[in-house]
Amino acid sequence: QVQLQESGPGLVKPSETLSLTCTVSGGSINSGSYYWSWIRQPAGKGLEWTGRINTSGSTNYNPSLKSRVTISVDTSKNQFSLRLSSVTAADTAVYYCARDKSGYSGNDSMDVYYMDVWGKGTTVTVSS
Amino acid sequence: EIVLTQSPGTLSLSPGDRATLSCRASQSVSSSYLAWYQQKPGQAPRLLIYGASSRASGIPDRFSGSGSGTDFTLTISRLEPEDFALYYCQQYGSSPTWTFGQGTKVEIK
């Protein structure tokens, strides 16, 4: 069964770029028609979708973060990555990667929209 | 941008009680686009319901979802000790984007 694991620095300085990688195991990132999303959650707060990518490299970003976010995919390594530039303390959060199904499901014989597999999350603190 | 408002913020109930959680959208949302998640402290969210009313794989049948248009409901028919957690609704929007409600905490009374 597919599992996701986030990795990257736990501490980033203000104004620098946050970089995280999500490794997909137990299956190929190319299997099925999925997008691969990043979601973040500041301590004690709710969930905020950051953006997503599919294995063709098509991306969608949260409009509120779009100018600072880049998501990329490396299918040879079964990984996708997040870069967030010019970080501030407001970017301190737990960052999750997730498998994102948005479209036709053969199992359900209909269009479906959900995130069904999540990584455990990684905490990123922005501080000097 | 569609805003999802969840109520109540906190629900204080006892094991065995019925829990009714609300998710209201600022504009009409296709039922296909509405999902519910459970999150426990220190854990990632877990998919419970998609398409407003379809249970995800492995989810007990005490969890059910309903609603359409702007009003959606997650019902837990009889609370088990492991059900005390945070619950989020989520919708898939145009652009496309994903948005979440602010969450409802179900706590032990």
Side-chain angles (χ1 to χ4, degrees), chain B residues 8-47:
Chain B
T10 301
L11 204 47
S12 298
L13 295 168
S14 300
D17 285 349
R18 180 183 186 90
T20 303
L21 287 66
S22 173
C23 177
R24 178 162 289 179
S26 58
Q27 302 172 43
S28 185
V29 172
S30 167
S31 296
S32 298
Y33 295 166
L34 200 287
W36 289 92
Y37 297 81
Q38 177 193 66
Q39 187 179 33
K40 296 180 180 179
Q43 296 185 17
R46 176 174 73 141
L47 176 67

Side-chain angles (χ1 to χ4, degrees), chain B residues 61-82:
Chain B
D61 61 8
R62 64 180 181 273
F63 291 91
S64 64
S66 63
S68 63
T70 59
D71 291 302
F72 297 90
T73 300
L74 174 70
T75 301
I76 310 171
S77 59
R78 284 179 59 85
L79 282 164
E80 297 287 342
E82 62 267 28

Side-chain angles (χ1 to χ4, degrees), chain A residues 66-105:
Chain A
K66 188 172 183 176
S67 62
R68 299 194 292 130
V69 173
T70 303
I71 296 176
S72 58
V73 64
D74 187 337
T75 56
S76 67
K77 293 183 178 178
N78 240 24
Q79 294 176 336
F80 61 106
S81 298
L82 169 72
R83 288 172 57 86
L84 181 65
S85 64
S86 305
V87 296
T88 69
D91 297 309
T92 295
V94 176
Y95 285 76
Y96 297 101
C97 56
R99 188 173 76 172
D100 170 343
K101 180 66 177 177
S102 309
Y104 187 75
S105 164

